[in-house]
Amino acid sequence: MNNQNIRNVAIIAHVDHGKTTLVDAMLKQSGIFRANEQVAERVMDSNDLEKERGITILSKNTAVHYGDIKINIVDTPGHADFGGEVERVLKMVDGVVLLVDAFEGAMPQTREVLKKSLALNLKPIVVINKIDRPGAQPLKVVDDVIELFIELGANDDQLEFPVVYASGKNGTASMDLNTPGTDLRPLFDTIINYIGAPACEMEGPMQMLVSNIDYDDYIGRIAIGRVERGHVDLNMPVVICKDDNKTLNARVTKLYVYDGLKRIEVESAEAGDIIAMSGVAGINIGDTICDYNNPEKIPFVNIDEPTVSMTFSVNNGPFAGREGEFVTSRHLRDRLYKELDRNVSLRVKDTESPDAFEVSGRGELHLSVLIETMRREGYELLVSRPKVIIKEIDGVKCEPIERLVVNVPDDCVGTVIEKLGRRKAEMVNMEPAEEGHTKVEFKIPARGIIGYRTEFLTDTKGEGTMNSIFDCYEPYKGDIQARTRGTIVAFEPGKSITYGLYNAQDKGDLFIGPGVEVYEGMIVGLNSRPEDLAINVCKEKHLTNTRASGSDDALRLVPPIQISLEKAIEFIQDDELVEVTPKNIRLRKKILNNKDRERAARASMKE
């Protein structure tokens, strides 16, 4: 028997196709907010990093009421790096709203999230969003989506999907492109009529799969998931079934259901509803909460393996401990292993050194968000250059291959194809995009994309866009040329002086301005030549009694290049590190002493 008063749906799409904006409109039109209430844009993106970057990082739950029916909505991230967030929440829902931009069409992550939802036999509703955008081609995009469904092996039922034409920003939807919509009722009606009530057993012993974990300083860990069978009551004794066939006893101390943006405390909840409960210490994503007398585990969805790894280590530089609150290996280890509880696509491994840990994730963005979060929490650490995870398949050395889609101005296509060719990319498809732009699709080794984004933006004058997603493992493609320019390295510790920087800027581009504390081995600029160059940026001009016209003019410095965390991670080579502290991001050499570094370079050349 199904719970007819509930619908559970996830909103999935490629990044920037308007998922969170559409959820905003659905919340407003369902009467969640007061008429005079001030509501922020993208209200579901509550995390500071999400607001700053304008992207969704964590999956979040909300619920709206439409008539007598409660619709539980899960807003998911669009970036491929956070794909693990999407995969685990799909077990909570019975259908998906696939959002596709009427201008960009189906993109790499559209394909990936659709593949996962079709494999779980979820019912799809296709929403063509941003139909009001200039240059939109909704009918062509519908054809592309149908082709994508066929390509991914959708069955006959899944191919009979309804299409809704919407503008999330304006809060309108229509079933017919020629009839402008006035509100989102057509979308609500489609969700209720097309996506069935949750397939669950109303009677029987209680069973719930944990799909998400939250944490509260007062009540501890909160398990979030859908009740698959029976009902759950406050103070009910339960058993937690874990992956390794172990069981833990617990008691439900708090029980919540979702209503708009709030979690409301309730006495009981029935099968089919998405709930949150506390009192279950030691719970993890993928565990099953069962009736005390009937422990029965539900299989969890397989999360794709990580493709990129980095080494996180304790800061051992001259400035260690000055700016951070948590600086020891114990602090670092505890924080990384704690992250595993919520971040299902992350892996952490101890190394031979007690001060270093190998952290693997879905991509540079996935790991850089973790680093930025730790930095804001007061951690100080060193991170290495990202490396792809190489596997041996049938005795052959294989590496991860990404499917890369770039949209570039027509006059830049040649440059981009040439640069990507050097990085072992193979062109798969090329077609015209909007006027004056071309869309090109490549298959490229994952290590070929590392460090390319900044160069790509320069080559396309900031007008190009690039999106990639993991495709498969293929035999190793050979060496890829790394950065072609060397670095300018500080020769001695001290404070940078305008006079010293003025002499250094003739050699390349600087990363620091005057008055910055530096130490020996710290990278302060990019050399115009291939080799590294040690320069004394703390050098002062010695005063004499001699004066000459022109030589005492004010020295003019070129403004330094601002290095963000992502740029720093992309920039460094194997012999370099990024020093991350709550106040600064610095680049440095692994070996700080100039003489020792020269000896090591000579020794490696002999080998």
Side-chain angles (χ1 to χ4, degrees):
M1 181 182 166
N2 294 349
N3 190 341
Q4 296 297 331
N5 296 327
I6 291 176
R7 299 290 185 275
N8 297 321
V9 62
I11 299 193
I12 58 174
H14 186 76
V15 64
D16 278 344
H17 279 200
K19 296 180 294 300
T20 306
T21 307
L22 182 68
V23 173
D24 272 10
M26 292 172 82
L27 287 167
K28 285 172 186 169
Q29 292 190 23
S30 64
I32 293 294
F33 306 115
R34 297 189 317 273
N36 63 342
E37 189 170 343
Q38 290 291 315
V39 183
E41 267 190 42
R42 299 193 315 279
V43 71
M44 293 291 285
D45 286 348
S46 51
N47 184 313
D48 284 345
L49 273 176
E50 291 180 321
K51 288 175 183 170
E52 286 169 28
R53 294 167 184 254
I55 60 171
T56 304
I57 293 171
L58 302 169
S59 293
K60 297 180 197 67
N61 297 63
T62 186
V64 299
H65 291 271
Y66 185 69
D68 298 331
I69 293 176
K70 177 185 180 184
I71 304 173
N72 284 311
I73 302 169
V74 186
D75 184 24
T76 64
H79 269 282
D81 289 39
F82 310 114
E85 291 282 319
V86 185
E87 289 156 26
R88 63 185 169 81
V89 299
L90 290 179
K91 290 285 274 187
M92 276 200 288
V93 298
D94 304 284
V96 292
V97 173
L98 178 72
L99 226 67
V100 187
D101 190 312
F103 178 74
E104 289 187 348
M107 296 292 277
Q109 182 68 354
T110 312
R111 177 193 190 87
E112 193 61 22
V113 291
L114 179 60
K115 185 166 81 177
K116 299 281 182 193
S117 54
L118 292 178
L120 289 169
N121 209 24
L122 299 176
K123 281 195 156 187
I125 294 171
V126 174
V127 174
I128 307 299
N129 195 27
K130 305 187 186 181
I131 54 169
D132 54 332
R133 184 173 169 179
Q137 302 171 295
L139 296 176
K140 178 182 179 295
V141 170
V142 171
D143 291 341
D144 290 347
V145 171
I146 293 170
E147 278 181 32
L148 185 59
F149 269 78
I150 295 167
E151 198 180 318
L152 293 175
N155 60 38
D156 291 345
D157 287 344
Q158 290 168 331
L159 279 170
E160 293 295 321
F161 56 82
V163 178
V164 181
Y165 300 96
S167 168
K169 193 176 180 183
N170 297 329
T172 59
S174 170
M175 302 303 291
D176 181 6
L177 196 56
N178 299 318
T179 311
T182 54
D183 54 26
L184 289 176
R185 280 184 193 171
L187 177 58
F188 284 122
D189 290 335
T190 307
I191 290 172
I192 287 165
N193 297 330
Y194 183 71
I195 292 175
C200 52
E201 298 174 41
M202 300 298 287
E203 303 299 326
M206 179 262 180
Q207 196 182 34
M208 167 183 153
L209 178 68
V210 179
S211 297
N212 205 350
I213 292 284
D214 203 351
Y215 186 81
D216 186 283
D217 290 335
Y218 298 102
I219 58 176
R221 290 168 81 76
I222 299 169
I224 299 166
R226 185 176 73 173
V227 183
E228 300 290 338
R229 187 173 66 198
H231 60 90
V232 55
D233 300 313
L234 204 58
N235 296 319
M236 176 180 176
V238 291
V239 172
I240 302 165
C241 299
K242 302 188 83 64
D243 274 345
D244 45 12
N245 294 324
K246 287 182 183 172
T247 58
L248 297 172
N249 294 338
R251 185 176 291 275
V252 181
T253 57
K254 296 267 187 190
L255 195 60
Y256 305 91
V257 295
Y258 288 90
D259 188 19
L261 300 174
K262 303 186 191 80
R263 277 203 290 243
I264 296 174
E265 270 196 64
V266 290
E267 294 286 323
S268 67
E270 55 188 11
D273 207 353
I274 294 175
I275 65 163
M277 67 165 76
S278 67
V280 281
I283 192 85
N284 284 312
I285 290 166
D287 293 348
T288 308
I289 300 173
C290 309
D291 182 84
Y292 187 76
N293 298 314
N294 289 278
E296 193 182 333
K297 183 156 176 60
I298 302 171
F300 190 51
V301 64
N302 287 328
I303 303 293
D304 285 350
E305 290 294 311
T307 56
V308 173
S309 71
M310 291 168 77
T311 302
F312 288 35
S313 54
V314 173
N315 185 6
N316 59 7
F319 297 169
R322 284 196 193 180
E323 298 168 0
E325 187 182 345
F326 307 108
V327 296
T328 65
S329 60
R330 180 176 61 83
H331 286 134
L332 190 58
R333 188 179 194 280
D334 290 349
R335 176 64 181 82
L336 289 173
Y337 278 95
K338 186 183 173 188
E339 184 69 20
L340 292 179
D341 293 343
R342 289 191 61 175
N343 207 329
V344 290
S345 46
L346 197 75
R347 302 284 183 275
V348 178
K349 200 162 73 177
D350 293 337
T351 63
E352 293 172 3
S353 165
D355 291 342
F357 307 91
E358 188 181 300
V359 183
S360 307
R362 286 285 187 86
E364 286 173 85
L365 183 63
H366 185 200
L367 294 174
S368 70
V369 164
L370 170 62
I371 296 165
E372 180 63 28
T373 306
M374 289 173 67
R375 184 173 89 88
R376 293 181 183 203
E377 290 171 1
Y379 285 84
E380 215 175 274
L381 65 153
L382 298 174
V383 294
S384 71
R385 176 179 166 82
K387 290 181 180 175
V388 298
I389 296 170
I390 305 289
K391 286 185 178 178
E392 196 165 297
I393 302 171
D394 299 329
V396 179
K397 182 182 175 184
C398 295
E399 64 176 333
I401 302 294
E402 303 253 332
R403 188 177 284 269
L404 173 70
V405 175
V406 299
N407 188 322
V408 295
D410 292 342
D411 57 342
C412 305
V413 172
T415 311
V416 170
I417 292 174
E418 182 198 345
K419 293 273 180 79
L420 286 171
R422 287 186 209 156
R423 292 170 174 264
K424 310 291 183 187
E426 297 172 16
M427 190 163 67
V428 178
N429 189 26
M430 185 174 179
E431 59 183 47
E434 69 271 29
E435 191 177 342
H437 283 67
T438 304
K439 184 175 169 183
V440 194
E441 195 173 329
F442 298 90
K443 284 180 81 174
I444 181 172
R447 62 201 166 94
I449 299 176
I450 295 172
Y452 175 63
R453 194 173 296 273
T454 309
E455 195 178 330
F456 171 78
L457 289 172
T458 306
D459 290 341
T460 59
K461 305 177 187 70
E463 292 183 41
T465 59
M466 61 183 279
N467 293 284
S468 65
I469 193 161
F470 171 73
D471 189 50
C472 60
Y473 269 86
E474 285 186 8
Y476 190 74
K477 304 285 184 186
D479 293 337
I480 292 175
Q481 186 183 11
R483 193 180 69 213
T484 53
R485 293 170 68 182
T487 54
I488 299 173
V489 183
F491 182 73
E492 65 177 29
K495 212 171 237 187
S496 59
I497 305 289
T498 305
Y499 183 72
L501 290 171
Y502 184 75
N503 292 326
Q505 75 178 7
D506 294 337
K507 310 293 183 186
D509 305 313
L510 294 177
F511 296 154
I512 63 165
V516 176
E517 282 203 66
V518 299
Y519 52 81
E520 183 183 6
M522 179 173 154
I523 297 170
V524 295
L526 182 63
N527 192 4
S528 53
R529 299 190 175 196
E531 66 275 357
D532 293 336
L533 182 66
I535 288 186
N536 185 4
V537 291
C538 307
K539 185 179 180 183
E540 296 186 46
K541 184 176 181 183
H542 296 293
L543 300 176
T544 67
N545 288 330
T546 310
R547 294 284 178 270
S549 89
S551 63
D552 292 320
D553 288 349
L555 303 176
R556 294 186 183 276
L557 291 179
V558 176
I561 297 170
Q562 298 298 319
I563 294 282
S564 65
L565 181 59
E566 277 83 9
K567 277 186 182 173
I569 291 169
E570 276 189 1
F571 176 82
I572 56 172
Q573 296 298 307
D574 292 337
D575 66 332
E576 296 162 356
L577 297 168
V578 181
E579 180 183 333
V580 181
T581 74
K583 294 181 181 173
N584 287 294
I585 292 166
R586 302 183 185 95
L587 303 173
R588 53 161 279 188
K589 289 290 184 181
K590 275 186 183 174
I591 303 171
L592 294 178
N593 185 278
N594 292 314
K595 290 281 184 282
D596 291 347
R597 202 165 54 248
E598 286 170 14
R599 283 193 205 103
R602 284 197 297 270
S604 65
M605 284 174 71
K606 283 177 185 174
E607 289 172 8

